[in-house]
Amino acid sequence: MGDVRAGIVECIPHLRRYARALTKDVDKADDLVQDCLTKAINKEEKWQTGTNLRAWLFTILHNQFMDDMRRQAARPTLVAIDDNVGKLSNPPSQESSVELKRLETALHTLPVDQRVVILLVGLEGMNYAEAAEIISTPIGTVRSRLSRARETLRQLMAGAELTSPPKRRPA
């Protein structure tokens, strides 16, 4: 059990980075990681020795995120009063900051299924098999989602504007 918990602790920075990219909110990301870690520790006996602990944790985090998205879709949207405070500040003058913001905005225009795959493969450096295992999808579906996501990001970063969200083909 000590080895499992040590492995879990090693994965926390990766889980936080992935959660922050998914949620676009530091507090929500920390809550998501905390929920993931709570589930992992409560069910650590279900983890099988010799399997990929990182993939197991990312699967728990991914499933928790998707559950939260479904719950949130059923509730009305709430806007915090503090949301408008950021609009009072000056936009960044550094080119790289602007480019990163454009990429972040472009990422969040992607459908969730494409965004999840591009974050797992591109940000977390996972191979297609690991990403497929985490989101319970065939490798071919991961490849096609990744291809569509990359193409959409290329277009958006080149200055193209999407008049409607990218079309979602059945996977």
Side-chain angles (χ1 to χ4, degrees):
M1 268 195 213
D3 292 340
V4 174
R5 292 197 181 185
I8 290 172
V9 169
E10 288 178 23
C11 289
I12 291 174
H14 303 285
L15 292 168
R16 289 185 77 207
R17 181 174 57 206
Y18 179 56
R20 285 181 179 180
L22 281 176
T23 62
K24 200 177 174 182
D25 181 295
V26 174
D27 294 329
K28 287 180 184 176
D30 287 342
D31 290 344
L32 183 61
V33 171
Q34 183 175 350
D35 292 343
C36 169
L37 295 174
T38 301
K39 284 184 180 183
I41 290 170
N42 287 337
K43 298 187 184 247
E44 71 182 281
E45 72 279 352
K46 291 190 178 198
W47 179 72
Q48 299 170 2
T49 304
T51 59
N52 188 339
L53 179 63
R54 183 177 180 208
W56 183 67
L57 291 169
F58 271 81
T59 301
I60 293 170
L61 184 96
H62 172 77
N63 291 340
Q64 183 66 43
F65 172 71
M66 296 307 287
D67 289 345
D68 291 349
M69 291 271 297
R70 286 184 204 103
R71 263 188 244 110
Q72 186 178 8
R75 284 190 246 148
T77 303
L78 301 176
V79 178
I81 294 172
D82 294 336
D83 283 352
N84 293 321
V85 172
K87 294 177 183 174
L88 301 175
S89 63
N90 292 330
S93 59
Q94 297 83 4
E95 194 172 311
S96 60
S97 295
V98 172
E99 197 67 16
L100 281 174
K101 184 65 179 167
R102 284 184 61 225
L103 177 60
E104 181 182 20
T105 302
L107 271 171
H108 284 279
T109 64
L110 295 174
V112 173
D113 58 349
Q114 290 179 18
R115 186 173 68 221
V116 164
V117 171
I118 208 157
L119 290 173
L120 289 173
V121 174
L123 179 66
E124 291 302 325
M126 293 184 181
N127 62 40
Y128 296 167
E130 288 175 314
E133 180 184 340
I134 288 169
I135 62 173
S136 302
T137 304
I139 291 177
T141 302
V142 168
R143 287 184 177 130
S144 66
R145 287 178 183 174
L146 190 58
S147 174
R148 287 193 304 267
R150 285 176 174 161
E151 183 57 33
T152 302
L153 286 176
R154 274 188 208 99
Q155 291 174 5
L156 291 171
M157 295 306 288
E161 291 187 25
L162 295 177
T163 54
S164 62
K167 294 195 180 195
R168 184 174 175 196
R169 290 183 255 166

